[in-house]
Amino acid sequence: MKLATLKDGTRDGQLAVVSKDLASAHFADAIAPTLQRALDDWQFVAPQLEDLYQTLNLGKARHAFAFDARRCMAPLPRACQWLDGSVYANHFELLTRARGAQVPESYRIEPTMYQGGSDDFLGPCEDAVFGSEDWGIDFEAELAVIVDDVPMGASPARAAQRIRLVTLANDWSLRNLVAGELAKGFGFLQSKPACAFAPVAVTPDELGEAWRDTMLHRPVQVHWNGRKVGEADAGADAVFTFAQLLAHAAHTRNLRAGSIVGAGTVSNRDPARGWSCIAEARARETIDSGEPHTGYMRFGDRVRIEVFDDLGLSLFGAIDQQVVQRAR
Amino acid sequence: MKLATLKDGTRDGQLAVVSKDLASAHFADAIAPTLQRALDDWQFVAPQLEDLYQTLNLGKARHAFAFDARRCMAPLPRACQWLDGSVYANHFELLTRARGAQVPESYRIEPTMYQGGSDDFLGPCEDAVFGSEDWGIDFEAELAVIVDDVPMGASPARAAQRIRLVTLANDWSLRNLVAGELAKGFGFLQSKPACAFAPVAVTPDELGEAWRDTMLHRPVQVHWNGRKVGEADAGADAVFTFAQLLAHAAHTRNLRAGSIVGAGTVSNRDPARGWSCIAEARARETIDSGEPHTGYMRFGDRVRIEVFDDLGLSLFGAIDQQVVQRAR
């Protein structure tokens, strides 16, 4: 099934079920008021949401309305946890080299993952507001899973069974603040502001054969100001799966329901697949010609991120955001 | 006023008001079901909680009951954000040197802060469960604030006005996992498992003259297996205030209501003040004699952390936890 959170003036929004073709929706608040509440009691709530989803897809839901992604908040507008791995070797290697650091062999042995902020996620069509273009504004197209409780010490196989939803994220990054922060040794903070998420989160069964080994084997289309810049296959060139990321995160602690785990910027070795963040383009340019030519985003720029199935149906709806200067 | 969250079988618990002397409590769910909901609408909710608090302190609340810290969850059992700064120069310098790293001068110019997990906080008397003593189990006694919305770019003065509650935390740390994780450059993950919090969170006005410049000027008592090992003054030897930590965190993003920000392990230069984490004791021993003598915590060990006012009244109640081996 496909789930979305619609704006209703509250911090957590209102849960809705969305039809497979993303054409119509139906409020689900009679079942669970918010997506977090559904995840808190998934075994009880999910079958009821599934029933509504089937009815909606048959065109028989009584109060269905046209689905409009612009009314969406992030599926979880705020969450108890956002963890982001970096599983695509090409992205990790290019960006590590670009900041002049040595690529550690360990990144293939054990997942590299950071703890991100989860208090203020952006909806798919909401403006991304920043204080300065000098921060080095960049998008990052990523897949993410939303999990049920994962107990401390869970194996990858057990953790895999706790994946409830899959969605798409734009992990906004402020490149010119990264190096200074990582030099301090405590990870990202100012350089990783609020992420945005796709209009809908979907259960893995919606993805059919494209969901294998807890990875989505589909290209992620990225458009920057209307120009297609990337369509990396999220199923290729990854050194870890979501199941392995979850087991790594749960090694010393429980993960609680509603935790969101990303797999990092989708990236393929094949240059024909383009890039899913500007930093990669700049890294390739630097390798090819000694310096980067592509600038980071400017105020007014747009980015659009979307994944289609093999029939051309949008799986999660599009993230489509504009970069806007903060009002002073 | 003083607020607590009592266990009721749900993930977020039930909000209660606690008397100034921590002797009695009264459910506040008729005003707001949970502390997060109170923080979501603080201007409207807080005056009603304050009325109940005054009535309770006068002994006139109709359904008051004896307050028992063992029934408490963390004030926010899960939160949308946990950020932890490191403002006590002595702690930062000792631990940085102890892991063989250079102490960067930058830590006095700009706060050092990490993004922690906030999905699974422990109550004050709950067991701290770990898989192995080899992880290097250590406590960290800290002060923390819980904030209302802080807009991106807020000044320290403006951020200070958004502090709603002050509390005490035990930021559990797995020392033997720290160096390997920090070497990967993406910050702490496995080495910072679930934090615990004191039974109550209090509004800054409760702290009277001890709350100055957004810092608590009181000693933090730490007992390990019944032996007092530390009573560092949280108002001394800090290079940044909570207001400055908040402004740093909000430089590129909004902080949303219910975000919790810690100031790092309380630590004084004066060795007579003891230590608030074992790693500091070991670092001092290494400096004095070439090697550490004090081992980390063993299964069955207890730690107790508490702050008293100048009349001997416990401000937040005690964190009093036992270290327990995970069942296999």
Side-chain angles (χ1 to χ4, degrees), chain A residues 70 127 130 174 193 234 240 248 319-321:
Chain A
R70 290 168 298 183
D127 291 342
F130 300 110
L174 300 172
F240 294 104
H248 179 75
I319 295 172
D320 190 349
Q321 297 186 273

Side-chain angles (χ1 to χ4, degrees), chain A residues 87-88 143-147 155-167 204 207-218 234-236 238-247 261-263:
Chain A
V87 308
Y88 297 94
L143 272 301
V145 297
I146 304 175
V147 299
S155 66
R158 189 168 174 200
Q161 294 168 358
R162 310 302 285 169
I163 296 172
R164 294 291 173 249
L165 296 165
V166 183
T167 190
L207 304 170
E209 286 301 303
W211 182 252
R212 298 192 303 276
D213 292 334
T214 68
M215 294 296 276
L216 182 65
H217 297 256
R218 291 298 307 163
V239 292
F240 294 104
T241 64
F242 274 110
Q244 290 170 315
L245 290 179
L246 291 170
V261 178

